[in-house]
């Protein structure tokens, strides 16, 4: 069924005329004015390998996780901040804003509604950025494998660097997973952001297949 | 007095030492706060890794000219404050660019960074940034009041506006410190100090859980790195002013490190014990407790 894309746009996002306080009328188009529609590009690392290695070391030492939980797994992230597990020791910190974070942890099942927010959060993060899928739900749907509104395989929608298995994984498993991610980063293999840029059309097609009420620009910085 | 060019490398050296000390001290204070919560907290070099990572990000976006200038203003506030105040008393190398009226300039620089931040955060257009900035300006203004009163009291007491002269008057034993010759002014200034260190109970400006870290919400990569550098410099620079005005200054680097550490620790101690004030509570608190002390200090000089 072919649907009119404008059908889903909320009234406040419609292009319209507004009158400024000084009486001048002008047109606004919220989707164009406030977002950027340029697709992401592949970003190369520093020219010298040694510099890039140095940066990679720093990136591995300073993982800033976006505080955004999606499924039951989010509850396993909290103990990491407590005295018992204390992930801060490993340079892992939580950031409340997507702009400053460089690690997005999809912590469990992802309903299509949340997927939309996850995509927006991911696209607001700056290259290089990493995605960790937590729990079996992100790998193959887990116990929600036949649910009508969760996605089954996270890898088709966002470039995942690392999966941590379990339903749900213990905080120790998470710590181990982050250590493994650090190894990937140090080896220069965690280039998810570039993979996303290279296969941008494929990812977008997949995303639009499940998100029916697509009311945002294709790439919203 | 002729300007000597050799002062510039000396000032840069001061800056270098202070940046590194500030980064390590910041992490150390985080560790101390973590120990209170029975954690171990970040490694001591964490700030360096964060800084390098932020400089090493490959993409960044901007929201306009002011968005660039905000962090720059903020950094120049911190650096300026540091450079126009004698860091080490009596040392030709580390008295920096201090001059006769530097006390007033220092007062101005304390406020300058916040204003720059307000402009930059305003340009970023994020509602949380706007909320954070309005809170920040309100709170800093309220905290500045007792500090300014205390500074005037001290200036009246020593009859000078030069920080070097004020330090000179405090030499020759602990009993000569302003802390003992004018305790009311010091008390008012220390209460103001708590308000300007961005630690609980006065951290409602950043409020990570409520308005995702307020003013810097939209800042990332090099912009954020600039602000991090400032976060290393500014507290130290501010403490240097306090140390010079109230605690007898420092004649050598070890004394400097020790005194700065102790003064910093005051705000951390208060911070780990008390929960956060709402902004109108904190303003009322400053006006009720700190400002009268400052007025008294001026009256009694
Ligand atoms: S893997 Fe298990 S614990 Fe994790 S989100 Fe799915 S059902 Fe919940």
């Amino acid at each position: 069924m072919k649907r009119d894309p404008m059908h889903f746009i909320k009234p406040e996002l419609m292009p319209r005329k507004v009158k400024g306080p000084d009486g001048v009328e002008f047109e606004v188009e919220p989707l164009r004015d406030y977002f950027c529609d340029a697709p992401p590009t592949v970003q190369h690392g520093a020219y010298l390998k040694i510099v890039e290695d140095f940066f990679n070391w720093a990136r591995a030492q300073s993982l800033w996780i976006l505080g955004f939980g999606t499924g039951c797994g989010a509850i396993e992230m909290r103990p990491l901040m407590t005295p018992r597990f204390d992930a801060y020791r490993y340079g892992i910190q939580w950031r409340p804003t997507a702009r400053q974070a460089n690690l997005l942890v999809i912590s469990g099942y992802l309903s299509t509604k949340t997927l939309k927010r996850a995509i927006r959060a991911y696209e607001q993060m700056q290259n290089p950025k990493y995605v960790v899928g937590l729990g079996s739900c992100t790998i193959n749907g887990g116990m929600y494998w036949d649910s009508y509104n969760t996605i089954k395989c996270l890898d088709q929608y966002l470039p995942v660097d690392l999966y941590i298995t379990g339903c749900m994984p213990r905080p120790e498993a998470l710590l181990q997973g982050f250590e493994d991610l650090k190894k990937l980063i140090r080896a220069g293999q965690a280039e998810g952001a570039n993979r996303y840029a290279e296969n941008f059309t494929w990812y977008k097609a997949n995303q639009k297949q499940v998100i029916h009420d697509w009311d945002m620009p294709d790439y919203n910085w | 007095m002729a300007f000597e060019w050799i002062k510039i490398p000396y000032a840069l050296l001061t800056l270098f030492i202070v940046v590194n000390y500030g980064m390590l001290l910041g992490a150390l204070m985080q560790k101390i706060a973590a120990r209170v919560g029975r954690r171990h907290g970040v490694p001591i070099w964490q700030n360096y890794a964060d800084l390098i990572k932020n400089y090493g990000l490959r993409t960044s976006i901007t929201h306009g000219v002011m968005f660039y200038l905000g962090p720059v203003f903020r950094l120049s506030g911190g650096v300026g404050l540091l450079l126009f105040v004698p860091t080490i008393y009596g040392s030709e190398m580390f008295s920096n660019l201090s001059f006769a009226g530097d006390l007033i300039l220092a007062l101005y620089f304390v406020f300058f960074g916040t204003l720059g931040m307000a402009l930059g955060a305003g340009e970023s257009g994020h509602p949380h940034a706007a909320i954070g900035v309005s809170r920040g300006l309100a709170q800093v203004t309220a905290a500045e009041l007792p500090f300014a009163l205390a500074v005037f009291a001290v200036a009246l007491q020593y009859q000078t506006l030069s920080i070097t002269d004020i330090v000179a008057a405090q030499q020759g034993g602990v009993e000569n410190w302003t802390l003992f010759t004018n305790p009311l002014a010091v008390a008012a200034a220390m209460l103001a100090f708590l308000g300007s260190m961005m630690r609980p109970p006065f951290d409602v400006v950043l409020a990570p859980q409520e308005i995702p870290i307020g003013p810097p919400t939209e800042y990332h990569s090099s912009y954020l790195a600039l602000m991090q550098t400032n976060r290393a410099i500014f507290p130290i620079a501010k403490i240097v002013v306090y140390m010079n005005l109230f605690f007898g200054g420092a004649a050598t680097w070890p004394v400097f490190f020790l005194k700065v550490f102790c003064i910093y620790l005051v705000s951390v101690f208060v911070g780990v014990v008390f929960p956060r004030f709402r902004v109108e509570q904190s303003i009322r608190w400053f006006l009720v407790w700190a400002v009268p002390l400052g007025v008294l200090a001026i009256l009694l000089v």
Side-chain angles (χ1 to χ4, degrees):
Chain A
M1 185 174 63
K2 188 96 181 82
R3 273 183 281 198
D4 174 18
M6 281 319 230
H7 177 71
F8 301 107
I9 309 271
K10 298 187 201 89
E12 68 265 25
L13 293 180
M14 292 282 211
R16 61 184 185 277
K17 271 200 161 61
V18 277
K19 198 164 180 182
D22 48 358
V24 180
E25 271 205 1
F26 57 95
E27 275 186 34
V28 290
E29 195 179 348
L31 283 185
R32 298 242 161 269
D33 296 352
Y34 301 150
F35 302 99
C36 174
D37 234 350
T41 49
V42 177
Q43 300 288 331
H44 299 288
Y47 184 64
L48 284 177
K49 181 160 184 308
I50 185 164
V51 177
E52 184 64 13
D53 283 349
F54 181 53
F55 280 157
N56 277 337
W57 169 84
R59 283 166 194 148
Q61 275 313 311
S62 131
L63 289 176
W64 287 2
I65 303 181
L66 178 61
F68 177 48
T70 59
C72 348
I75 205 80
E76 293 294 303
M77 306 261 290
R78 306 299 167 255
L80 289 183
M81 303 182 201
T82 61
R84 179 144 180 206
F85 299 104
D86 191 18
Y88 292 93
R89 282 176 297 164
Y90 305 109
I92 297 165
Q93 303 178 42
W94 279 262
R95 279 278 144 172
T97 134
R99 292 277 187 232
Q100 299 174 5
N102 64 351
L103 173 58
L104 179 60
V105 178
I106 300 293
S107 49
Y109 63 84
L110 204 49
S111 66
T112 47
K113 206 171 171 179
T114 325
L115 174 64
K116 200 164 145 187
R117 274 75 194 173
I119 292 169
R120 293 190 64 164
Y122 179 73
E123 289 180 352
Q124 284 184 31
M125 288 157 61
Q126 302 298 320
N127 185 344
K129 47 192 171 183
Y130 318 107
V131 180
V132 165
L134 184 61
S136 26
C137 281
T138 52
I139 302 173
N140 55 12
M143 65 187 253
Y144 295 98
W145 61 276
D146 61 347
S147 164
Y148 60 95
N149 76 343
T150 62
I151 58 159
K152 310 295 178 283
C153 183
L154 180 61
D155 217 4
Q156 293 180 351
Y157 308 97
L158 290 174
V160 181
D161 290 293
L162 188 94
Y163 285 113
I164 302 173
T165 57
C167 177
M168 49 185 44
R170 296 234 348 127
E172 289 94 334
L174 253 110
L175 282 180
Q176 182 59 45
F178 289 142
E179 288 302 310
D180 287 346
L181 178 67
K182 284 183 182 181
K183 281 185 203 136
L184 284 181
I185 297 174
R186 271 194 293 259
Q189 287 168 353
E191 291 290 351
N194 283 346
R195 247 187 301 140
Y196 191 69
E198 274 162 19
N199 307 318
F200 190 61
T201 40
W202 184 75
Y203 279 115
K204 275 297 149 192
N206 284 345
Q207 290 166 359
K208 285 188 179 168
Q209 220 167 23
V210 289
I211 302 177
H212 297 303
D213 57 340
W214 188 276
D215 61 352
M216 49 191 190
D218 271 357
Y219 193 65
N220 39 88
W221 279 18
Chain B
M1 195 181 80
F3 183 77
E4 289 163 40
W5 289 102
I6 190 67
K7 279 190 171 183
I8 290 180
Y10 283 160
L12 289 181
L13 183 63
T14 315
L15 195 60
F16 178 76
I17 298 177
V18 166
V19 167
N20 286 301
Y21 183 54
M23 302 249 258
L24 293 175
L25 192 64
L28 185 63
M29 290 302 167
Q30 250 181 302
K31 271 184 105 66
I32 292 176
R35 283 312 290 161
V36 176
R38 290 183 161 232
R39 291 187 293 114
H40 283 275
V42 296
I44 196 91
W45 65 84
Q46 181 67 47
N47 285 340
Y48 291 97
D50 289 349
L51 197 67
I52 297 166
K53 181 202 71 180
N54 278 330
Y55 275 119
L57 280 188
R58 295 189 197 133
T59 57
S60 64
I61 57 164
T62 177
H63 293 273
V65 180
M66 251 1 252
F67 190 72
Y68 278 112
L69 289 183
V72 176
F73 279 4
R74 198 154 172 74
L75 186 64
S76 49
V79 174
L81 181 59
L82 182 69
L83 288 191
F84 285 105
V85 168
T87 312
I88 300 291
Y89 167 70
S91 151
E92 184 62 19
M93 267 176 91
F94 299 112
S95 61
N96 297 338
L97 311 170
S98 58
F99 59 98
D102 49 6
L103 191 50
I104 300 297
L105 193 69
L107 270 185
Y108 169 72
F109 268 127
V110 170
F111 211 78
F112 187 68
T114 318
L115 285 179
M117 196 60 237
L119 294 172
E123 178 102 10
S124 80
H126 200 287
H128 289 150
I131 297 175
V133 159
S134 58
R135 289 176 177 186
L137 284 179
Q139 184 169 299
V140 169
T141 314
E144 200 78 340
L145 217 55
F147 178 56
L149 288 173
V151 167
F152 292 148
V154 171
L156 277 178
Q157 183 188 353
Y158 296 113
Q159 296 291 333
T160 173
L161 280 178
S162 155
I163 297 183
T164 315
D165 292 349
I166 293 178
V167 182
Q170 296 180 54
Q171 295 306 309
V174 174
E175 70 281 0
N176 288 345
W177 291 5
T178 318
L179 176 60
F180 296 106
T181 57
N182 195 350
L184 281 177
V186 178
M190 282 316 279
L191 295 183
F193 174 68
L194 295 180
S196 61
M197 289 301 278
M198 296 285 168
R199 289 193 169 267
F202 301 104
D203 62 343
V204 78
V205 180
L206 297 177
Q209 293 85 359
E210 173 202 1
I211 45 163
I213 68 171
T217 305
E218 280 287 308
Y219 280 98
H220 53 270
S221 65
S222 321
Y223 311 117
L224 188 63
L226 270 188
M227 300 207 304
Q228 281 180 310
T229 320
N230 181 59
R231 259 185 104 71
I233 298 175
F234 190 70
I236 308 285
K238 202 165 158 73
I239 292 173
V240 171
V241 177
Y242 272 77
M243 186 181 73
N244 283 334
L245 290 185
F246 308 123
F247 299 99
T252 56
W253 280 110
V255 177
F256 169 87
F257 290 146
L258 190 69
K259 280 188 180 173
V260 170
F261 176 79
C262 292
I263 301 175
Y264 205 134
L265 206 58
V266 172
S267 77
V268 176
F269 265 145
V270 175
V272 294
V273 177
F274 291 102
R276 181 186 293 158
F277 271 145
R278 286 211 309 272
V279 73
E280 82 273 14
Q281 289 169 328
S282 76
I283 290 178
R284 200 175 303 140
W285 189 85
F286 282 123
L287 293 185
V288 169
W289 295 106
V291 172
L293 276 181
V295 174
L296 262 185
I298 289 204
L299 290 182
L300 292 186
V301 165

